[in-house]
């Protein structure tokens, strides 16, 4: 039986990914590449919705690829590529835009939040069509699963709707994908505001644990994390969102169950617990940071690996696009 197909993407909008990106999405990518035909991309075209200095975007795209490899995404086991190196993404996005309702796109909550924050005058059309480009990323590869965090669920729903709409209107071209979301890790929260998700666009980075932070910076962030009333180390998302978030992070990185951690810290204070979580996190992140820096240092090798990925991605994507164009009555060239 042929392997199931997986596709996911991540934006290179910052100098570092954060713990939410790793636990919600990338950790799944690493597992899934072992038994699936996996395609993972750095979505640099999506990053254009946020105005960035071109030199910085280039640096961050390579740094993103290096972080993924350092985290265990293995270009020998999966297809790792840069989105803009596969022109079919934009080509399919246009086709999908033509079958998306204006109101339908306007209902995307991420668009509503972001455009609300920026104000209508500073919101670009790219931000509006962003989820349609994401749908193209996924449908081009005939993906079965899309490993993501909770905040992407609505975009995957839209992808399914657009795929089904095209199939019934024109021809059965697309496989309809499903989101793969690990419930317990789907929303890692900000250490300073444990009711809000950890996010690259947070106003303060004090509660955002970045993978490229130095060990001292990581320890500081955990030591000053916001905890809750009471003093028991107990998982209770409603009453104790801060401690519950720290327990989730600790458990995901140490491999210990939440129950075992609660027992281990019975009778101990928040201070001891915060310090222990910090140590667990530093132990995992520090080697990843060192490996990332070594990988970006060898730019030629990094570019070579990405080129292999984009060649494979182009082959698969071009085949789907040709089927789409033919189903639409667009005349093939030659
Ligand atoms: P992005 O770059 O914002 O985030 C990358 C992945 O990290 C997950 N994530 C989280 N998971 C748990 N807790 C958090 N606090 C947290 N913050 C972020 C996201 O859910 C995501 O899986 N639109 C996408 C990029 C994209 C994409 C795609 C994804 C473009 N094309 C195709 C899947 C398939 C985004 O902005 O992710």
């Amino acid at each position: 039986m042929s392997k199931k197909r997986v596709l996911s993407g991540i934006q290179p909008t910052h100098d570092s990914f954060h713990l939410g990106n790793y636990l919600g999405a990338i950790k799944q990518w690493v597992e899934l590449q072992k038994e699936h035909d996996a395609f993972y991309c750095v979505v640099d075209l999506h990053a254009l919705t946020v105005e960035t200095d071109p030199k910085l975007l280039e640096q961050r795209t390579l740094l993103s690829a290096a972080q993924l490899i350092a985290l265990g995404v293995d270009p020998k086991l999966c297809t790792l590529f840069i989105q803009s190196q596969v022109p079919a993404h934009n080509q399919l996005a246009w086709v999908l835009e033509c079958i998306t309702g204006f109101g339908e796109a306007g209902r995307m909550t991420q668009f509503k939040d972001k455009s609300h924050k920026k104000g209508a005058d500073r919101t670009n059309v790219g931000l509006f069509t962003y989820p349609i480009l994401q749908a193209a990323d996924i449908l081009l590869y005939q993906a079965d699963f899309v490993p993501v965090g909770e905040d992407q669920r609505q975009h995957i729903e839209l992808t399914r709707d657009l795929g089904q709409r095209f199939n019934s209107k024109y021809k059965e071209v697309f496989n309809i994908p499903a989101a793969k979301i690990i419930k317990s890790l789907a929303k890692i929260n900000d250490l300073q505001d444990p009711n809000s998700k950890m996010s690259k666009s947070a106003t303060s980075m004090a509660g955002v644990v970045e993978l490229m932070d130095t060990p001292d910076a990581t320890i500081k962030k955990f030591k000053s994390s916001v905890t809750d009333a009471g003093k028991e180390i107990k998982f209770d998302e409603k009453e104790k969102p801060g401690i519950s978030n720290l327990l989730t992070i600790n458990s995901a990185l140490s491999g210990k169950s939440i129950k075992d951690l609660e027992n281990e810290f019975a009778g101990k204070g928040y201070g001891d617990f915060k310090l222990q979580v910090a140590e667990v996190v530093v132990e995992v992140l520090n080697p990843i940071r060192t490996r990332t820096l070594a990988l970006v240092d060898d730019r030629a090798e990094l570019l070579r690996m990405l080129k292999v990925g984009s060649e494979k991605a182009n082959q698969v994507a071009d085949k789907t696009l040709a089927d789409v164009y033919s189903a639409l009555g667009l005349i093939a060239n030659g």
Side-chain angles (χ1 to χ4, degrees), residues 7-11 18 20-21 24-25 43 46 130 134 137-138 146 148-149 151-152 185-188 197-198 200:
L7 177 126
S8 200
I10 190 158
Q11 292 199 75
H18 59 67
N21 298 135
V43 294
H46 278 106
Y130 176 114
Q134 179 167 353
D137 297 342
I138 300 167
V146 188
V148 284
D151 61 356
Q152 298 301 312
L185 300 176
K187 183 173 170 262
I188 300 298
K197 77 164 182 182
M198 193 176 281
K200 291 177 203 160

Side-chain angles (χ1 to χ4, degrees), residues 55-304:
K55 264 260 147 296
L56 198 57
L57 178 61
E58 192 188 314
Q59 257 175 37
R60 286 174 170 172
T61 300
L62 292 179
L63 195 55
S64 296
Q67 284 176 88
L68 290 175
I69 297 170
L71 286 164
V73 171
D74 182 350
K76 291 206 181 75
L77 291 180
C78 69
T79 305
L80 175 65
F81 66 101
I82 298 175
Q83 182 192 34
S84 65
Q85 294 185 353
V86 185
H89 289 242
N90 304 67
Q91 292 168 296
L92 179 60
W94 173 253
V95 170
L96 297 176
E97 280 168 34
C98 294
I99 60 165
T100 308
F102 198 81
E104 188 176 29
R107 278 193 294 278
M108 295 294 112
T109 53
Q110 287 214 330
F111 168 72
K112 286 201 282 192
D113 291 350
K114 287 185 187 168
S115 57
H116 183 72
K117 272 191 207 148
K118 278 175 177 272
D121 288 348
R122 296 184 50 227
T123 299
N124 57 56
V125 176
L127 205 57
F128 185 65
T129 55
Y130 176 114
I132 307 171
L133 178 59
Q134 179 167 353
D137 297 342
I138 300 167
L139 294 172
L140 268 180
Y141 297 90
Q142 308 288 359
D144 295 294
F145 302 115
V146 188
V148 284
E150 180 61 39
D151 61 356
Q152 298 301 312
R153 188 187 290 278
Q154 197 188 26
H155 290 170
I156 314 302
E157 274 307 311
L158 176 72
T159 303
R160 292 168 58 85
D161 288 347
L162 295 179
Q164 274 155 352
R165 192 170 305 158
F166 185 96
N167 283 352
S168 63
K169 234 176 144 87
Y170 298 103
K171 192 173 170 220
E172 287 277 332
V173 171
F174 297 122
N175 188 46
I176 305 303
K180 211 166 181 44
I181 298 176
I182 308 246
K183 201 164 171 277
S184 59
L185 300 176
K187 183 173 170 262
I188 300 298
N189 290 328
D190 188 290
L191 300 192
Q192 288 296 319
D193 177 8
N195 285 308
S196 303
K197 77 164 182 182
M198 193 176 281
S199 162
K200 291 177 203 160
S201 49
T203 40
S204 152
M205 295 312 270
V208 180
V209 183
E210 296 192 283
L211 307 189
M212 299 303 285
D213 278 343
T214 61
D216 282 352
T218 306
I219 291 170
K220 199 164 156 218
K221 285 180 181 175
F222 277 93
K223 271 191 175 165
S224 60
S225 60
V226 168
T227 38
D228 322 284
K231 39 182 190 288
E232 236 187 323
I233 314 292
K234 205 170 169 330
F235 191 87
D236 180 342
E237 277 177 313
K238 246 194 157 151
E239 300 298 326
K240 288 175 162 282
I243 287 295
S244 301
N245 192 38
L246 295 182
L247 276 165
T248 299
I249 293 171
N250 193 340
S251 165
L253 294 178
S254 67
K256 293 179 184 171
S257 73
I258 301 242
K259 265 270 146 298
D260 284 348
L261 288 169
E262 285 174 346
N263 290 336
E264 189 180 328
F265 283 90
K268 295 196 181 139
Y270 284 171
D272 287 345
F273 181 60
K274 285 188 199 178
L275 200 60
Q276 194 261 0
V277 188
E279 281 164 6
V280 167
V281 173
V282 166
E283 201 176 308
V284 174
L285 294 193
N286 202 33
I288 288 166
R289 182 169 154 267
T290 315
R291 226 175 298 147
T292 302
L293 294 173
L295 283 158
V296 273
D297 238 17
D298 193 349
R299 185 185 161 100
E301 173 59 7
L302 198 53
L303 288 172
R304 189 201 60 79

